[in-house]
Amino acid sequence: MSQFAGWLAQRYKVGRSLSDYEIAAGFGSLRSFRVSKPIDQGLIAINSTYLEYVDRHFDYRGWAAMWGALLIVLVMAFAAGMIWVLWQVQIAGERVIVQGEYYAVGFLVLLCFSIAGLAYWMLLGRDVFRYQYYPIRFNRVTRMVHVFIGGNRRAISVPWNDVHFYIGRDKPVGPDEGHTYDLRGNVMRDGIVVHTFAVGSDSGGSPGVSLASWEMIKRFMESGPDALPFPPLQLLTSVVPSFRNAFIMHVSSPGPGMILLGLPLTLPWALSRYLTMMLCRKPIWPTSVLADCRSLSGQGDGLKAPAVFGRVKQGPEAEAMMTYWRESVQEAKALDADLKAQIYGKAVV
């Protein structure tokens, strides 16, 4: 599935020039498109100095661990079964085991170990023992973009103008699968892409939603939080690693009519997400980034992610927020056809 591009498949390519698509889908080329209602996709903190988002793959965490662990258990069980059968035949003494049978079982066991190792490298190991999420910060005061990458460096900090932002597009994996779009940034150095990151959750098949997500960041960076046409703004994405949040994200997300139908898949996914989050570390920004992003109005300034995913204050404020959300998504999706026509009309696809 192309939703996993940049994580489990279709790794981002660096050390190259911008492609025709990236130029055509760049927001500089799409200035004629107007969005009146910016969209919050994965925003977890906002104050007078910076916005902070989760990375694109935050919503899918636990998926790779679930399938990786299942594959490892199956192949190791098969290997154990082969060894057990051979052992039972030997101790029973019913017949003589020829040397070729030992070689065959040994080859199958070695193959199972190889498959298990590959499953860990390609799936399980990319989900567990890492970070719960990889945040991105946009500092409007210093005009810097900070991307958490983990490892020894922990973060990449680049000037706002050194990033080429565009509507990212993933290549479909299956013949019946459409493109998945997101808000993506290429860090540029002397005209060469040196790093790629995706901001917030993906937009499914709607490039318009990615454009509306970009509109929120652009307005904040150019004019500050007062330019965001909410109020009241309430954040929806939670980064608390609780089973309740995992359940809400994966079991409750299909909607009332689909919850029971999807339960055989979504409930194991929710459990896998919870275990994955518990086995991962919370990201901690380097002191240089914390110093750069210190709020001018103090630590209590702005909003932070809620403890429960999707939990907003009840009453007129909640109704206003949800109404705004529905209208903004509707407005953004209305631009899809024109956006695709312009992008694909200019780009080599």
Side-chain angles (χ1 to χ4, degrees):
M1 295 193 296
S2 62
Q3 290 90 336
F4 303 132
W7 178 35
L8 304 179
Q10 302 172 20
R11 305 307 294 272
Y12 297 140
K13 296 180 180 179
V14 297
R16 58 177 179 83
S17 301
L18 293 175
S19 67
D20 290 339
Y21 173 84
E22 290 168 331
I23 295 173
F27 295 112
S29 302
L30 301 175
R31 290 176 182 172
S32 60
F33 289 90
R34 303 296 181 186
V35 176
S36 64
K37 297 180 182 295
I39 290 179
D40 155 24
Q41 284 208 117
L43 182 64
I44 57 174
I46 179 174
N47 57 35
S48 60
T49 303
Y50 66 84
L51 294 176
E52 180 167 321
Y53 286 82
V54 294
D55 60 293
R56 174 202 166 142
H57 304 113
F58 173 73
D59 290 352
Y60 297 106
R61 297 299 299 275
W63 181 267
M66 177 177 67
W67 291 109
L70 178 61
L71 183 57
I72 290 172
V73 168
L74 289 177
V75 297
M76 296 308 293
F78 179 79
M82 292 292 295
I83 295 174
W84 184 83
V85 169
L86 189 65
W87 174 254
Q88 290 299 309
V89 172
Q90 183 175 1
I91 63 175
E94 298 176 354
R95 65 179 181 85
V96 177
I97 301 176
V98 298
Q99 190 176 27
E101 291 176 310
Y102 283 111
Y103 286 143
V105 171
F107 172 77
L108 290 174
V109 170
L110 181 61
L111 180 62
C112 288
F113 273 93
S114 299
I115 295 174
L118 184 64
Y120 182 87
W121 178 57
M122 294 295 294
L123 295 170
L124 184 63
R126 294 186 181 178
D127 225 351
V128 300
F129 308 129
R130 293 182 177 266
Y131 289 92
Q132 295 169 353
Y133 58 100
Y134 293 77
I136 303 99
R137 279 190 181 184
F138 298 88
N139 187 326
R140 74 176 187 89
V141 177
T142 60
R143 308 288 291 176
M144 294 292 291
V145 180
H146 305 286
V147 183
F148 189 89
I149 60 172
N152 294 329
R153 294 181 63 184
R154 286 205 290 170
I156 295 175
S157 299
V158 294
W160 165 258
N161 292 331
D162 287 354
V163 184
H164 175 79
F165 288 101
Y166 64 103
I167 298 176
R169 178 196 68 172
D170 296 326
K171 181 180 179 181
V173 177
D176 299 325
E177 185 180 357
H179 290 290
T180 299
Y181 298 92
D182 56 36
L183 171 56
R184 202 172 299 182
N186 284 337
V187 179
M188 308 299 298
R189 183 178 300 159
D190 298 327
I192 300 299
V193 179
V194 297
H195 185 77
T196 300
F197 60 94
V199 183
S201 55
D202 68 68
S203 307
S206 173
V209 173
S210 293
L211 179 66
S213 181
W214 161 254
E215 181 68 18
M216 182 168 183
I217 297 172
K218 184 190 72 171
R219 290 191 187 187
F220 178 85
M221 293 296 285
E222 292 179 350
S223 306
D226 292 339
L228 302 181
F230 291 94
L233 171 62
Q234 297 189 57
L235 306 188
L236 302 177
T237 302
S238 175
V239 293
V240 175
S242 66
F243 181 74
R244 183 178 186 179
N245 279 334
F247 186 91
I248 292 173
M249 291 184 69
H250 299 312
V251 177
S252 302
S253 59
M258 299 293 292
I259 289 179
L260 292 180
L261 186 62
L263 202 59
L265 177 62
T266 57
L267 185 57
W269 188 3
L271 179 59
S272 178
R273 179 184 180 86
Y274 171 66
L275 294 175
T276 296
M277 289 295 159
M278 297 305 294
L279 291 172
C280 289
R281 293 169 286 174
K282 181 179 179 180
I284 300 177
W285 288 105
T287 55
S288 59
V289 175
L290 295 177
D292 181 71
C293 293
R294 186 171 293 112
S295 173
L296 299 178
S297 301
Q299 296 298 321
D301 174 41
L303 298 171
K304 294 183 179 180
V308 179
F309 190 91
R311 174 66 59 84
V312 296
K313 297 178 180 178
Q314 299 302 309
E317 291 187 355
E319 295 177 6
M321 182 62 191
M322 299 313 296
T323 298
Y324 175 90
W325 177 265
R326 289 190 295 268
E327 292 176 349
S328 61
V329 171
Q330 183 179 6
E331 178 194 59
K333 289 185 175 181
L335 298 173
D336 286 346
D338 291 337
L339 276 169
K340 291 179 181 179
Q342 176 165 322
I343 293 172
Y344 296 122
K346 293 183 178 181
V348 177
V349 295

